[in-house]
Every structure is written in C-alpha cells, then in structure tokens.
Amino acid sequence: MPRANRNRRDHVPLNLERLRGLDARVTWSGRTWFVRQLSGASSTRAYRCPGCQQELLPGTPHVVVWPVDGLGGVDHRRHWHNSCWKARDQGRSGGGRM
Ligand SMILES: [Zn+2]
C-alpha cells in the first residue's frame, strides 16, 4: 500500500508579487510575458494549449506564461506544451500536419 503524501503542498496559490523578478521574461506578440517552467506534477486539471489547441493533460511538464503588464492578471495565464511554446513563432500558417 503506497504511503500517503501527507506533506504535499498542492494548493499553494500562485502569488504574482512573489513571482515578479523570479521568472524569465520574453517579448512575444507585442507584449512582455513572464515564463515559468512547470513540472506539471501538481496540476490537476487539463488546460488548452494555445499553440496547438490540444489539451494539455495533468502531469505533463509544460510552460505557463502571463503578461508582465498585469492586465488580466492570473486570468491571462496560458499553459503551453513545451514544444509548442518553443515553436510559437513557427507553423502559425498552415502548420499542424502530423
Ligand atoms: Zn500544444
């Protein structure tokens, strides 16, 4: 019987103030974004990747980005597949072939 993970802290809220200065920033699509690499280990829901419009399943390592200017705050967080984020400037036209 597996031991329970009593000390897991799955519900630490994402604190934007604390994150400021810690995360990488990139300029993309005319805005500056914070970029954070997530292991996905603590995610419990699926997200829609804006790069490929596919689901990003719980437990998948991925990238979360949100605008530095704070407009929309956490509501504007976007969860991307690692590969989609890296390829965000490519394949926007006619891409997606398997
Ligand atoms: Zn994707």
Side-chain angles (χ1 to χ4, degrees):
M1 176 169 159
R3 215 170 285 184
N5 287 321
R6 287 176 302 165
N7 296 323
R8 281 184 66 176
R9 293 178 298 163
D10 285 346
H11 294 104
V12 177
L14 188 57
N15 184 326
L16 288 180
E17 290 303 319
R18 239 188 64 209
L19 292 179
R20 262 177 233 284
L22 295 180
D23 292 283
R25 298 176 201 204
V26 300
T27 301
W28 171 65
S29 197
R31 302 181 79 173
T32 304
W33 305 77
F34 283 120
V35 179
R36 166 168 277 211
Q37 185 71 50
L38 297 182
S39 71
S42 64
S43 57
T44 54
R45 51 167 287 193
Y47 299 99
R48 182 72 60 181
C49 169
C52 63
Q53 307 298 323
Q54 308 280 322
E55 280 203 332
L56 206 162
L57 297 175
T60 307
H62 65 275
V63 174
V64 59
V65 305
W66 66 98
V68 167
D69 58 30
L71 295 177
V74 296
D75 291 338
H76 278 224
R77 274 187 287 167
R78 293 290 179 267
H79 296 255
W80 293 71
H81 295 107
N82 288 335
S83 55
C84 293
W85 176 246
K86 283 178 192 148
R88 64 193 177 278
D89 289 326
Q90 307 159 15
R92 281 242 164 204
S93 54
R97 265 180 304 192
M98 300 289 282

